[in-house]
Amino acid sequence: MMEFLQTLEQAGQNLLGPAWLPLWTVVKIMLIVGPLMGCVAYLTLAERKVIGWMQIRIGPNRVGYFGLLQPLADGIKLLMKEIILPSGSNKFLFIVGPIMSLMPALAAWAVVPFNAELVLSDVNAGLLYILAMTSLGVYGVIIAGWASNSKYAFLGALRSAAQIVSYEIAMGFALVTVLMASQSLNLGEIVAGQKGSAGALNWFVVPLFPMFLVYLISGVAEANRAPFDVAEGESEIVAGFHVEYSGMAFALFFLAEYANMILIAFLTSIMFLGGWLSPLPFLPDSIVWLFGKVAFILFLFLWFRATFPRYRYDQLMRLGWKVFIPLSIVWVVVVGAWMQTPLWVW
Amino acid sequence: MSFISIVFYVFAALTVFAAVGVITSRNPVHAALFLVLAFCSASGIWMTLEAEFLAIVLILVYVGAVMVLFLFVVMMLDVNLIQLREGFWRWFPFGAGLAGLMVFEMVWVLGSRQTSDTVSAITHPANYSNTKELGRLIYTDYVYPFELAAVILLVAMVAAIALTLRRRAGVKSQNVADQVKVKAKDRIRIVKMAAESKDSVSN
């Protein structure tokens, strides 16, 4: 596989010269974004099926065998619908909102490694880049909520902004502990730091277990998923920030939410669950492990949605500020002290 | 012109455009969003200087947190646009003078022979980590100034909270610790009583 890629790159260099690098990069971007969009489409189907089964329903089963063409049908339906611009809205920002929401969700994938060699951009400050990109996602929500010129949309945007800013702090501190344990900001090296003879016991989830929980729960909050979906809150503010959106503009928010979910699942697997490393020392490391871990975390997202009722807003803020942030700061100190002792074996 | 200078001029032009947008746009929300664009393009310029840590942290802190809260406030303000623009021409000479002074200073410092001779873009190998270098400097040579800055920020934070914290009497709020402590027997009373016979029900 790798030899084939090298010969391909060599041939391209000879054939196209300086034009080859941008072209090849675009091809690589397509190879990430294309399957990602496919995953997003089928994640929506998986969500409806899984939650259906949990509630002893069947879920979508009419379009295609086993409902497998349902995402396609949904996509076509959304494409055919009219995008309504509310007359009182700020037209330019109304269009920019969904774009600003999807853009960071896709841009963050530039540094996500799939195995030791397979990464679009192997940068040293990868972890910082991911943090910066995920923190930009809130702009889509704020701009959409404000530009809609609607009370429900605006309330949803304010809720979402406060929530994302709050949970980002705890998430950042959780990543600081990972950074301390791995001594690198490069995602590939973070995975390499979890390699060892003990298999799954070498993963950072073992010494950093509280931070794993903080990161996962904050991730659910960052992606505005149930039980933290107060930004949408159907029962309180109709649909929150995207209440005025229709057709493909709405679909972009939908895509961004699911792309963010998949991103957070990938990041959790890479930083705490050893990425592509195998849990048992005698089995080979493979990208299959990474996909398995991601699928499990995505299943957790769906499971949470089927299980928990929505948080009340003040409880949500309390959890973020009074539980997660102090806990993560304390754990940074604990890990720092622990690393100075011989008991630190990771 | 090398590729990196083209990138620099694109970002520089974007920064100037955004900065002009900040002061000329009528709507405060648009002005705040222009400021976000200015931060992003300034971050791009820093990236061309191989200062990736500063560039990313500018996005992370200023764009991702500070400007979000700023927008939050600006969006909720009930601003009168006409009133806001009234003082424009009165303050224009002052602002223009200040801007002229700053341009003069920058041209003087950056354009002088000494700086242009000594300051040149230093390039580093690909494995050079700007973040690591910066961390090493901050926590060794500059540890006291760094900690002093941290304490000043802490004081500012405590002061801001102390200024805005109001304790009002008669506010209904929940104490989560009390709620967690509650046992079933505090809330319900189970009464034992003999089962009633069939005859007594039918009567």
Side-chain angles (χ1 to χ4, degrees):
Chain A
M1 180 69 187
M2 279 297 140
E3 291 88 49
F4 169 70
L5 280 180
Q6 267 164 10
T7 27
L8 184 72
E9 253 178 275
Q10 197 59 47
Q13 285 279 358
N14 295 340
L15 196 68
L16 293 168
W20 165 250
L21 188 66
L23 196 75
W24 180 229
T25 312
V26 168
V27 168
K28 284 197 273 193
I29 292 172
M30 290 299 167
L31 283 178
I32 292 177
V33 173
L36 176 66
M37 287 295 131
C39 286
V40 166
Y42 278 88
L43 184 58
T44 62
L45 178 68
E47 172 164 39
R48 294 169 69 181
K49 278 284 185 191
V50 167
I51 293 179
W53 290 329
M54 283 180 179
Q55 295 168 347
I56 323 182
R57 294 184 286 114
I58 295 171
N61 69 342
R62 293 287 133 177
V63 191
Y65 181 67
F66 202 63
L68 279 176
L69 293 179
Q70 184 70 43
L72 219 64
D74 286 343
I76 292 170
K77 182 193 80 176
L78 285 168
L79 270 173
M80 308 292 256
K81 283 203 169 182
E82 182 190 356
I83 298 176
I84 299 163
L85 293 174
S87 55
S89 69
N90 187 315
K91 301 284 183 304
F92 178 70
L93 289 180
F94 190 79
I95 300 292
V96 167
I99 298 170
M100 277 300 290
S101 161
L102 185 61
M103 181 276 290
L106 295 181
W109 286 90
V111 296
V112 174
F114 296 94
N115 69 28
E117 289 101 26
L118 215 59
V119 52
L120 176 62
S121 169
D122 190 16
V123 294
N124 278 330
L127 196 60
L128 275 174
Y129 173 81
I130 293 254
L131 264 178
M133 281 302 132
T134 47
S135 74
L136 287 184
V138 65
Y139 277 98
V141 175
I142 297 187
I143 291 174
W146 183 77
S148 299
N149 199 11
S150 147
K151 289 183 182 67
Y152 288 130
F154 189 52
L155 279 174
L158 291 182
R159 283 179 172 199
S160 172
Q163 175 186 336
I164 291 179
V165 168
S166 316
Y167 279 86
E168 219 168 58
I169 303 171
M171 224 171 173
F173 275 115
L175 294 186
V176 166
T177 61
V178 173
L179 158 66
M180 287 164 75
S182 67
Q183 313 216 333
S184 173
L185 280 168
N186 184 316
L187 292 171
E189 282 174 34
I190 289 174
V191 174
Q194 302 177 57
K195 198 168 171 59
S197 52
L201 289 179
N202 278 101
W203 298 349
F204 289 149
V205 66
V206 179
L208 307 176
F209 187 69
M211 291 301 101
F212 168 69
L213 293 183
V214 166
Y215 187 80
L216 190 61
I217 298 171
S218 305
V220 178
E222 283 266 301
N224 276 331
R225 291 285 304 176
F228 300 101
D229 58 344
V230 290
E232 293 179 32
E234 307 88 341
S235 54
E236 301 156 28
I237 49 172
V238 194
F241 61 93
H242 59 60
V243 65
E244 302 290 346
Y245 283 86
S246 61
M248 216 47 211
F250 163 74
L252 285 189
F253 282 119
F254 209 69
L255 289 177
E257 179 181 330
Y258 284 80
N260 267 328
M261 268 167 74
I262 299 176
L263 179 71
I264 286 163
F266 260 92
L267 292 177
T268 314
S269 324
I270 285 169
M271 283 183 286
F272 293 98
L273 300 177
W276 51 85
L277 304 178
S278 80
L280 299 167
F282 52 84
L283 291 172
D285 301 335
S286 150
I287 195 169
V288 177
W289 293 115
L290 179 62
F291 288 148
K293 288 162 191 174
V294 167
F296 171 70
I297 291 166
L298 286 175
F299 178 73
L300 285 183
F301 273 93
L302 309 184
W303 194 359
F304 290 157
R305 180 166 170 197
T307 310
F308 297 121
R310 182 174 297 133
Y311 256 97
R312 213 176 56 205
Y313 196 71
D314 60 318
Q315 292 172 334
L316 183 145
M317 280 295 162
R318 178 185 158 272
L319 182 72
W321 286 98
K322 294 189 176 171
V323 180
F324 281 177
I325 294 178
L327 177 69
S328 50
I329 292 177
V330 165
W331 208 257
V332 168
V333 178
V334 167
V335 170
W338 192 356
M339 286 179 73
Q340 301 303 315
T341 66
L343 294 172
W344 180 264
V345 290
W346 283 275
Chain B
M1 200 192 283
S2 67
F3 177 67
I4 208 88
S5 358
I6 297 173
V7 172
F8 168 77
Y9 281 115
V10 168
F11 277 125
L14 256 179
T15 313
V16 173
F17 164 73
V20 171
V22 172
I23 50 171
T24 54
S25 54
R26 284 156 181 252
N27 194 321
V29 172
H30 290 178
L33 289 172
F34 268 121
L35 192 55
V36 170
L37 179 61
F39 280 138
C40 289
S41 37
S43 152
I45 292 177
W46 279 356
M47 200 67 103
T48 61
L49 291 171
E50 299 191 2
E52 83 261 11
F53 180 77
L54 289 177
I56 295 176
V57 164
L58 180 70
I59 298 254
L60 184 60
V61 175
Y62 282 90
V63 179
V66 174
M67 285 313 292
V68 172
L69 299 177
F70 211 86
L71 265 178
F72 204 97
V73 175
V74 167
M75 281 176 178
M76 286 200 284
L77 286 179
D78 185 22
V79 279
N80 188 343
L81 294 179
I82 301 157
Q83 208 173 29
L84 233 126
R85 300 185 67 78
E86 256 175 9
F88 183 77
W89 288 110
R90 195 154 62 89
W91 291 105
F92 182 74
F94 179 69
L98 210 62
L101 188 68
M102 278 173 76
V103 168
F104 171 70
E105 276 179 348
M106 284 178 77
V107 170
W108 193 28
V109 171
L110 298 176
S112 74
R113 206 117 175 253
Q114 279 166 322
T115 41
S116 57
D117 280 352
T118 50
V119 177
S120 59
I122 303 161
T123 49
H124 298 283
N127 61 358
Y128 168 79
S129 173
N130 172 263
T131 316
K132 209 174 235 172
E133 257 346 275
L134 208 63
R136 192 168 286 147
L137 274 179
I138 283 179
Y139 286 101
T140 54
D141 296 359
Y142 296 98
V143 66
Y144 291 123
F146 179 66
E147 286 183 353
L148 210 63
V151 170
I152 291 172
L153 281 176
L154 182 69
V155 168
M157 197 163 87
V158 171
I161 293 171
L163 281 175
T164 52
L165 186 69
R166 276 182 298 173
R167 288 193 191 283
R168 280 191 299 167
V171 177
K172 285 181 181 166
S173 64
Q174 294 164 327
N175 186 341
V176 179
D178 287 347
Q179 288 182 325
V180 171
K181 253 187 283 177
V182 166
K183 295 277 181 294
K185 68 175 184 345
D186 301 338
R187 293 288 161 88
I188 53 167
R189 191 165 56 93
I190 297 174
V191 182
K192 287 225 160 141
M193 55 185 290
E196 293 191 12
S197 65
K198 214 174 195 178
D199 309 334
S200 62
V201 172
S202 59
N203 288 335

